[in-house]
Amino acid sequence: MNIAVITARSGSKGLKDKNIKPLMGLPLMGYTIKAAMESHCFDEIMVSTDSPKYAEIAKELGAKVPFLRSAENSADNASSWDTVREVLIAYKDMGQTFDTVTLLQPTSPLRTAQNIIDGYALMKQKKANAIIAVCEPEHSPLLCNTLDDSLCMDGFLSKAAQGRRQEHQKYYRVSGALYIIKTDIIMSKEDIYSENTYALIMDKRQSVDIDDEMDFAIAEALMSSHNFVK
């Protein structure tokens, strides 16, 4: 038994109501609900939200919203994993338990059903406790450093960073597009990277994460230019 938890809090600061903001004619969360449904990987697809308005939209799009998120897990400092645990506990109280839980953030609208299918296939192949989506960063972290108030850049780049870009070691970043985790692991451990966790490498296009207006415009442009089908 597998459950998809789509986290859609209403109190977005970077982009007001981003989780229901229309993107190419569909509320943002709709792309994630659609991908989850089309993957056929889940026995339950639910949206965790603190908003009755969001809940109604989610249900119209085909997801379940059996309860609203608690005020504690709707605060700015609440973590997604606290929300996931809240969902699992609530379902257990209703008599339903699951082998895996998949966190799908609605801010990754270009993540596809195939990405989810690939994640579950990798989990089976590796006999993993968790699968986490990653992608290559836009720029190598070797090109980054801190600056003090003087703005002096003496020694800013290491020798490794000063070589040809093609010779740099390849890095990856957590994209936020997909997390598949065994429920007993998420309920018993704080650090999901600690044991038997593997990366699902996704391309950068599929890994766009919408936080602000510019991200939204990038997602819209990618969908338009690649004839993205809802």
Side-chain angles (χ1 to χ4, degrees):
M1 294 282 286
N2 306 318
I3 183 172
V5 178
I6 299 168
T7 51
R9 189 170 67 92
S10 63
S12 171
K13 297 293 191 294
L15 184 60
K16 182 176 172 57
D17 283 331
K18 67 181 176 183
N19 289 318
I20 59 169
K21 184 176 173 66
L23 175 63
M24 303 289 286
L26 187 69
L28 183 62
M29 72 166 75
Y31 292 97
T32 293
I33 293 171
K34 184 174 184 290
M37 294 173 66
E38 290 181 349
S39 74
H40 302 291
C41 289
F42 305 108
D43 302 283
E44 187 86 351
I45 298 169
M46 73 86 65
V47 169
S48 173
T49 182
D50 58 328
S51 165
K53 178 181 177 181
Y54 282 29
E56 286 305 310
I57 292 172
K59 286 186 278 190
E60 288 171 4
L61 291 166
K64 294 184 180 179
V65 190
F67 47 82
L68 292 180
R69 192 186 304 189
S70 67
E72 179 183 3
N73 282 321
S74 301
D76 289 342
N77 60 351
S79 76
S80 295
W81 299 119
D82 288 336
T83 299
V84 168
R85 293 184 186 98
E86 177 182 81
V87 167
L88 293 174
I89 291 168
Y91 268 93
K92 186 175 181 180
D93 290 343
M94 294 188 296
Q96 285 184 273
T97 58
F98 302 93
D99 300 303
T100 68
V101 57
T102 298
L103 171 60
L104 297 172
Q105 300 183 121
T107 49
S108 299
L110 289 126
R111 173 232 304 105
T112 67
Q114 189 60 52
N115 294 142
I116 299 170
I117 293 167
D118 291 345
Y120 268 96
L122 183 62
M123 191 169 200
K124 182 178 180 180
Q125 175 193 337
K126 297 290 189 180
K127 299 180 180 179
N129 287 336
I131 297 295
I132 297 174
V134 302
C135 66
E136 290 187 49
E138 287 69 23
H139 302 286
S140 170
L142 293 174
L143 301 176
C144 301
N145 208 332
T146 58
L147 287 170
D148 60 26
D149 292 342
S150 74
L151 304 182
C152 179
M153 292 187 68
D154 293 353
F156 186 84
L157 293 182
S158 66
K159 279 191 175 182
Q162 295 178 42
R164 294 172 63 248
R165 179 177 59 83
Q166 294 84 349
E167 296 171 349
H168 290 176
Q169 183 178 354
K170 187 173 287 189
Y171 284 82
Y172 296 91
R173 65 171 177 86
V174 174
S175 69
L178 178 70
Y179 301 83
I180 307 172
I181 304 176
K182 289 183 178 179
T183 54
D184 59 338
I185 297 297
I186 193 60
M187 296 304 291
S188 63
K189 294 182 180 293
E190 290 294 328
D191 183 5
I192 60 174
Y193 300 90
S194 62
E195 183 182 352
N196 205 27
T197 296
Y198 291 87
L200 176 71
I201 299 175
M202 291 172 46
D203 69 37
K204 287 191 286 187
R205 174 181 177 267
Q206 295 167 330
S207 303
V208 170
D209 182 31
I210 296 179
D211 185 52
D212 55 27
E213 197 72 55
M214 186 177 76
D215 299 330
F216 199 90
I218 290 170
E220 195 167 42
L222 284 170
M223 287 181 175
S224 298
S225 64
H226 289 80
N227 298 315
F228 188 85
V229 178
K230 291 186 291 186

